[in-house]
Amino acid sequence: MDINNVIAKYHYEGALAEFLPKLYQEFINYFGKAKEPIIYEALLNTKIIACNNVYTALNERGLIERSNNGFESAVGEGDLKRAAGVYHSLPNITYDPNSYQYNIEGAKRLVAINTSDFNSEYSKTVLIHELSHLIKSYYEEYSIDNGVLTSRSGLITTQEKLSIQNDCLVKTPILEESVGLEEGLTSIVEEDIAKVLVNPNYKVSGYGVVTAIARLIMDKFQLKEDILNAQILNDKKGLIQKFDGLLPNFYERLSILMDRIYKLSLKMFSEMLQPEKMKATSNIINEVINNEFQPLLKEVIQNQESRRN
């Protein structure tokens, strides 16, 4: 598995071609040698591009799907237009009217970074973050059961009901969970690898609150290896058991809370030009942390202490 094959396939050059081998090796160091085949295949089958606008780059390549059913995704069109980068994929789904079965025939994948080149510290850290999403999504990213498409990206789970209307495939979103927790955990990977490859003093800024909470939970309860296996090898059930072993329903409660904080963080980011609104949203985030997350953490710690006594 030679990363130079990836560079040659997509004709990468300049700073990207120079940085990618170092990043590839660090991904192996961080995620584990046993996961190298997944890391390699993910990079080999996903093109990295520089662009002026992430949303435009996806839209021009037919990777944007629109829904008018009122389902509110954690990441909307406006968030994509403001994004520094994205990993995005779209499965090719076919329908057999004779067997009434939906089938997945591969997927289109893209990593788009809002930059003119990959020389800057900023573009390299965004690349680390988005390639982490790619690697943690690649293995068993899509599955269909009873007409429901399940997509995963690390710990993020989304579900869509499939149907055929006027000979066209229609996807109706029905579930999206663990977005905030996954973004926090991916930002930890970004921060840790960036400290090795980019700047030893690097600190994540984009998802500061969810990152801090994710790191606190991961480190305090020594869950790093379990989390990485769940994200990369699609063992979410095993991780939930670990969480719930600390406190019943801990994973679900934390996941819901982190999704709320994440959506509020995106809202706050969208209000950068409206200082009063931004401050008000920031205050709400602080209230959620103080009134909901801190009591939850205290409950977990007390539960652990009572078991030891």
Side-chain angles (χ1 to χ4, degrees), residues 70-122:
F71 186 89
E72 184 180 355
S73 175
V75 180
E77 180 179 317
D79 300 311
L80 283 175
K81 289 179 178 179
R82 290 185 293 269
V86 70
Y87 161 64
H88 192 75
S89 70
L90 193 63
N92 179 30
I93 299 173
T94 59
Y95 177 70
D96 183 352
N98 296 316
S99 63
Y100 304 104
Q101 293 291 318
Y102 296 94
N103 300 292
I104 299 170
E105 307 288 346
K108 292 193 294 184
R109 296 181 171 90
L110 184 73
V111 169
I113 309 298
N114 190 352
T115 186
S116 57
D117 60 59
F118 291 91
N119 280 304
S120 70
E121 175 180 309
Y122 177 74

Side-chain angles (χ1 to χ4, degrees), residues 274-291:
Q274 301 169 292
E276 290 186 3
K277 287 187 176 181
M278 189 175 182
K279 188 175 187 327
T281 304
S282 176
N283 289 338
I284 294 173
I285 293 173
N286 289 331
E287 289 175 5
V288 173
I289 293 170
N290 293 330
N291 299 332

Side-chain angles (χ1 to χ4, degrees), residues 159-190:
Q159 290 186 329
E160 298 166 292
K161 181 67 177 176
L162 303 177
S163 61
I164 300 295
Q165 298 178 18
N166 299 322
D167 294 325
C168 294
L169 177 70
V170 175
K171 300 177 185 174
T172 303
I174 55 179
L175 173 71
E176 182 177 60
E177 63 182 15
S178 299
V179 179
L181 181 56
E182 178 59 36
E183 282 296 351
L185 291 166
T186 298
S187 294
I188 291 173
V189 179
E190 173 193 335

Side-chain angles (χ1 to χ4, degrees), residues 17-277:
E18 181 182 343
F19 183 63
L20 199 56
K22 301 172 187 175
L23 180 53
Y24 176 69
Q25 185 57 55
E26 196 54 38
F27 275 138
I28 294 170
N29 295 343
Y30 195 91
F31 294 135
K33 179 66 177 176
K35 299 180 181 70
E36 183 178 5
I38 294 174
I39 298 169
Y40 178 77
E41 289 295 326
L43 293 173
L44 185 65
N45 292 307
T46 309
K47 187 175 184 179
I48 303 166
I49 66 165
C51 65
N52 294 320
N53 183 281
V54 166
Y55 177 85
T56 301
L58 295 178
N59 195 38
E60 288 176 347
R61 290 161 175 80
L63 287 165
I64 295 290
E65 289 186 311
R66 292 171 178 83
S67 173
N68 58 3
N69 61 6
F71 186 89
E72 184 180 355
S73 175
V75 180
E77 180 179 317
D79 300 311
L80 283 175
K81 289 179 178 179
R82 290 185 293 269
V86 70
Y87 161 64
H88 192 75
S89 70
L90 193 63
N92 179 30
I93 299 173
T94 59
Y95 177 70
D96 183 352
N98 296 316
S99 63
Y100 304 104
Q101 293 291 318
Y102 296 94
N103 300 292
I104 299 170
E105 307 288 346
K108 292 193 294 184
R109 296 181 171 90
L110 184 73
V111 169
I113 309 298
N114 190 352
T115 186
S116 57
D117 60 59
F118 291 91
N119 280 304
S120 70
E121 175 180 309
Y122 177 74
S123 62
K124 288 176 181 177
T125 58
V126 174
L127 181 65
I128 293 169
H129 187 100
E130 300 309 332
L131 288 183
S132 296
H133 277 309
L134 161 65
I135 291 165
K136 293 191 289 181
S137 303
Y138 190 78
Y139 177 71
E140 297 181 348
E141 185 172 13
Y142 297 106
S143 61
I144 297 176
D145 182 35
N146 197 29
V148 174
L149 172 68
T150 297
S151 311
R152 68 169 210 93
S153 177
L155 301 182
I156 299 171
T157 300
T158 60
Q159 290 186 329
E160 298 166 292
K161 181 67 177 176
L162 303 177
S163 61
I164 300 295
Q165 298 178 18
N166 299 322
D167 294 325
C168 294
L169 177 70
V170 175
K171 300 177 185 174
T172 303
I174 55 179
L175 173 71
E176 182 177 60
E177 63 182 15
S178 299
V179 179
L181 181 56
E182 178 59 36
E183 282 296 351
L185 291 166
T186 298
S187 294
I188 291 173
V189 179
E190 173 193 335
E191 188 170 272
D192 290 349
I193 291 181
K195 284 181 177 178
V196 175
L197 296 180
V198 182
N199 181 346
N201 299 313
Y202 179 74
K203 289 286 185 185
V204 166
S205 57
Y207 301 124
V209 177
V210 291
T211 303
I213 293 175
R215 191 179 288 278
L216 188 157
I217 296 296
M218 184 180 74
D219 291 349
K220 188 172 188 63
F221 301 111
Q222 300 178 330
L223 291 166
K224 179 179 178 180
E225 198 63 34
D226 297 292
I227 288 170
L228 290 178
N229 286 336
Q231 291 170 314
I232 299 174
L233 303 178
N234 192 18
D235 185 22
K236 190 173 179 179
K237 289 182 179 179
L239 181 65
I240 291 173
Q241 289 176 353
K242 284 276 188 176
F243 269 82
D244 291 356
L246 299 170
L247 180 74
N249 298 319
F250 179 37
Y251 182 88
E252 181 180 4
R253 292 171 65 184
L254 179 66
S255 175
I256 292 171
L257 192 57
M258 291 282 272
D259 280 347
R260 283 178 57 203
I261 294 172
Y262 175 70
K263 289 178 182 179
L264 284 167
S265 298
L266 290 180
K267 182 175 183 291
M268 187 174 70
F269 183 58
S270 72
E271 297 167 341
M272 287 184 70
L273 300 179
Q274 301 169 292
E276 290 186 3
K277 287 187 176 181

